[in-house]
Amino acid sequence: MNLFLQSRMAAIIALLVLLTSLPIQASASSSIRASIPQFPLSINGQKLDQAYSKYPFLFYRDITYLPLTWNHLQALGLESEWSDDEGLKIWTNQNFPPPIHESPVEQDVSGKRNGSVDYAAKAAGWPIRLNQTAIDNAVEPYPFITFRDVTYMPLTWRNVHDLLQIDIRWSEADGLHLIGGQHIISSLIGDDDRSLYFYSMLSADPAKSMLKIDKTFNHVEWMGQKALKEMTGKAAAPSSPYAGKPAEVQRKGRDLYYGGMNVYTLTDADVWESADWGAPVHTYTEFRAGEGAAILSVNIRLPLPVIGPNYGSTYTFLIRGGQVTELKDFNQKIDRVIPNPDGTVWIASARLPSRSGYIGGSARVALLDREGKLHLVNELLDEADVMALGLNNSGLANPAGPDGSLYVVLLGRSKDDFTVKDSDGLYELKTSLQTVRLSKQVSGEYYLDKNRSIFVQQANNTLVNELTGASKTWFDHELAQLKPAAQ
C-alpha cells in the first residue's frame, strides 16, 4: 500500500515512511496556513464534496488532514472521547457484533462554497491518544490541528495504518481513499473449485446468511440459511486421510495399551474426578506415520464448565519398530500427519484458539526423517509459531505439494521469549528443511484452498490472492444493497 507525499503542483514523490523531515515546534497559539486538497477524496467508496463541505479535508506541509467529525469517525469504525483533563482519545471500535455501515458516509455540507485560498488553522493544544498511544503534538512534524472548531488528524502512515488500522490508498486517477470499519464479510467457511464462502454479519436477514465470492473476485452473491447449513456441514466433515481416526486403546488399571504395547501410565492428576462433573473423558486418535509407524494422541479432559476452550491434557507417542517414544513437543492436538514421497513424515498442529485470539507458540511443525529422528521446525527456525497452511481445510486432502513441501507462515517471534524478528512472512518449507521466503507477511488470515492457492482475508472486507497479487475490497453499503440470489 503506497502513501503519497504531494505538493500542490507535484505528484507523489515517496512513501511516507521514508520521510526524514525534522520536527517543528508547534504550540496551540501558532498559526498554520492550510489549503484544500486539489485531488479527489473518498471514504469507504463514497466521493466527498470538498467544494461545499462544512469541514473539508486540509493540506498542510504535503500531508492531507482528516476532519475528525462524528460522521467520519463512525464511518471509519472509530470511537472518541473528550475531557478537559485527558484531552482527546480516539480508539478502534471493538464491539461485537461490529457496527455495519449499510449506507455511505453522511457528509457535512453547507450552502457556502469553499474558496481556493489558504485557511488559517491552529495546532491542537491538548493531550491526544490514538489507541492508547500518546501523541506529543508539540514535537510532531505533522501536528494535529484545529479548524472551524474541529480537530484534524494528519494522515501519516503511523497514525492511520499503524495506530488506527485504517487502510489508506492512493491513485492518480481516484486520489486519496480511506477505508475503515467495514465488517459484513465475516470468517471464511470453506471453498469449492470456483468460489470462497464466508459467514455474514447481516445475521438479521436469513436470505443474507452467507457470501459466495468467486475466486477471481469478479462476482459476489448472497446465499440463504439452507445453503449456509449445507456448506458448514461440508466444512465440518473430516475428509483428509491424514487427519487421524479413533484408536483402539485398552486400559488396565492405570496403564494404557495400544497394539499390545504399554504406551502410558496415568498419573494422579489424570485420574482425578470432579464430585459434580464426574470422571475425565478420554479420546484416543491414531495417525499413520509412514511404513510400519504410527502416532498415538491421548487426550484427557475433565468435563468442567469453563470460560473459553477446554483442551485438557494431551500426550503424544510415536510407535515405530516396536518402540514407544513420547513426543513432548506435541502435547496438544495434532491436526495432520502427512507421509511424504521421500519417506519423511510431517507432523503439524494449527494454532489453538483462546478467549482473546490464539495461544502463542501453539502452531507447530516437525519432520520425522527416514531414520525416525524428529526435527522440530520451530526449534530449527527459532520461531514461536510455524503455521502450516491447509490444516483446517477439510476440502483439501493433502496440504503438502507433490514433492512434500508445505506453505507455512512465520509470525517473526522468537521461540523462547517472543522477541520480534525480521522473519515474518510466507515461506515454502521443503522436506530437506530448507525454506524459501515467498513474501513478507500480509496482515490477515491465510487460507490454502483445495487447489493450493493462497488467499488472505484482511480487515475491511478485503481479500488478497497471495500468489497472483490480485486483491478486492467490498464496502458494507454495497454488499447490504446487493439483492440475494433466488432461494
Side-chain angles (χ1 to χ4, degrees):
M1 178 188 303
N2 292 328
L3 188 61
F4 73 102
L5 300 173
Q6 176 177 339
S7 65
R8 225 165 294 162
M9 301 300 294
I12 304 172
I13 60 173
L15 289 172
L16 184 60
V17 293
L18 300 179
L19 279 172
T20 56
S21 302
L22 295 175
I24 293 179
Q25 296 294 327
S27 66
S29 60
S30 61
S31 179
I32 290 171
R33 303 300 296 180
S35 61
I36 294 179
Q38 300 302 303
F39 45 80
L41 293 135
S42 59
I43 292 179
N44 295 333
Q46 174 67 37
K47 282 192 174 183
L48 302 177
D49 184 351
Q50 286 288 93
Y52 289 94
S53 176
K54 186 177 180 181
Y55 307 105
F57 280 60
L58 292 178
F59 202 67
Y60 170 62
R61 294 195 70 232
D62 297 337
I63 288 293
T64 305
Y65 276 68
L66 165 71
L68 297 176
T69 65
W70 189 89
N71 286 339
H72 290 163
L73 289 170
Q74 292 297 301
L76 293 170
L78 301 175
E79 298 289 315
S80 66
E81 183 180 83
W82 165 266
S83 70
D84 290 336
D85 294 333
E86 300 186 16
L88 178 64
K89 295 180 181 179
I90 299 173
W91 66 93
T92 305
N93 188 316
Q94 298 295 328
N95 294 338
F96 191 87
I100 301 299
H101 302 287
E102 298 189 36
S103 301
V105 57
E106 184 176 344
Q107 302 190 53
D108 299 293
V109 294
S110 64
K112 184 178 179 181
R113 184 179 179 87
N114 294 313
S116 59
V117 298
D118 287 355
Y119 290 89
K122 291 184 178 180
W126 46 80
I128 298 169
R129 299 185 74 88
L130 302 181
N131 274 338
Q132 304 302 317
T133 297
I135 304 298
D136 189 350
N137 211 44
V139 298
E140 282 289 320
Y142 307 102
F144 281 66
I145 63 177
T146 62
F147 177 66
R148 294 178 181 171
D149 296 324
V150 168
T151 304
Y152 278 62
M153 180 178 73
L155 297 180
T156 65
W157 183 262
R158 177 173 181 261
N159 291 345
V160 179
H161 180 272
D162 295 346
L163 296 182
L164 295 177
Q165 294 87 53
I166 294 172
D167 291 339
I168 182 167
R169 304 173 187 175
W170 165 264
S171 74
E172 292 192 14
D174 299 323
L176 184 64
H177 197 164
L178 293 175
I179 304 171
Q182 305 300 288
H183 298 292
I184 280 183
I185 301 178
S186 189
S187 55
L188 193 150
I189 304 169
D191 71 288
D192 57 26
D193 286 333
R194 297 178 56 88
S195 303
L196 301 165
Y197 296 84
F198 298 85
Y199 287 105
S200 162
M201 293 305 298
L202 290 178
S203 55
D205 188 344
K208 297 181 177 181
S209 298
M210 180 173 67
L211 275 160
K212 176 182 179 181
I213 300 179
D214 188 272
K215 290 179 181 180
T216 64
F217 304 155
N218 291 325
H219 180 72
V220 57
E221 65 178 287
W222 285 109
M223 310 292 285
Q225 287 184 328
K226 181 180 178 181
L228 172 62
K229 186 176 180 179
E230 292 175 355
M231 191 65 206
T232 53
K234 292 178 183 178
S239 60
S240 172
Y242 309 117
K245 63 180 182 179
E248 292 186 8
V249 174
Q250 292 78 42
R251 177 176 174 178
K252 298 178 182 179
R254 289 198 179 189
D255 293 325
L256 299 181
Y257 289 84
Y258 171 79
M261 290 182 291
N262 180 267
V263 293
Y264 184 65
T265 300
L266 300 171
T267 66
D268 290 345
D270 294 329
V271 300
W272 181 82
E273 296 187 17
S274 166
D276 294 326
W277 303 98
V281 176
H282 286 217
T283 303
Y284 310 118
T285 308
E286 65 179 2
F287 303 83
R288 306 321 299 171
E291 187 175 352
I295 288 176
L296 175 68
S297 176
V298 176
N299 179 262
I300 303 171
R301 180 180 58 84
L302 278 169
L304 299 175
V306 295
I307 299 175
N310 178 8
Y311 294 119
S313 299
T314 299
Y315 309 97
T316 304
F317 307 92
L318 170 65
I319 295 91
R320 189 171 191 254
Q323 301 293 318
V324 178
T325 304
E326 185 175 0
L327 304 181
K328 294 185 178 180
D329 287 316
F330 284 91
N331 58 347
Q332 65 184 61
K333 177 178 179 286
I334 290 179
D335 291 282
R336 296 288 187 272
V337 174
I338 306 168
N340 297 313
D342 62 0
T344 61
V345 178
W346 291 118
I347 307 171
S349 293
R351 285 192 297 176
L352 290 174
S354 68
R355 288 183 60 192
S356 57
Y358 294 94
I359 299 175
S362 59
R364 303 175 191 177
V365 175
L367 183 80
L368 185 67
D369 66 23
R370 289 183 291 271
E371 286 70 44
K373 182 179 179 181
L374 192 75
H375 305 268
L376 184 66
V377 176
N378 301 61
E379 189 75 39
L380 295 173
L381 301 181
D382 185 28
E383 289 286 335
D385 288 280
V386 178
M387 300 188 298
L389 301 187
L391 299 186
N392 294 326
N393 183 356
S394 62
L396 178 64
N398 188 355
D403 63 349
S405 61
L406 293 173
Y407 287 125
V408 299
V409 172
L410 308 182
L411 300 182
R413 298 290 187 273
S414 180
K415 181 176 181 294
D416 294 326
D417 57 8
F418 291 86
T419 303
V420 177
K421 303 166 44 183
D422 184 24
S423 57
D424 59 312
L426 173 67
Y427 290 77
E428 184 179 26
L429 174 63
K430 300 181 180 296
T431 58
S432 63
L433 296 177
Q434 294 178 316
T435 57
V436 179
R437 194 178 197 175
L438 303 178
S439 67
K440 288 279 287 181
Q441 184 188 355
V442 177
S443 61
E445 294 293 326
Y446 284 72
Y447 181 78
L448 186 67
D449 77 353
K450 64 181 302 181
N451 301 317
R452 299 193 82 247
S453 292
I454 300 173
F455 293 90
V456 187
Q457 183 180 4
Q458 297 181 290
N460 296 314
N461 298 337
T462 298
L463 295 180
V464 177
N465 185 321
E466 184 66 8
L467 298 184
T468 67
S471 66
K472 181 70 178 287
T473 297
W474 293 265
F475 302 110
D476 279 359
H477 63 88
E478 293 177 330
L479 294 173
Q481 294 167 13
L482 182 66
K483 292 184 178 181
Q487 303 298 307

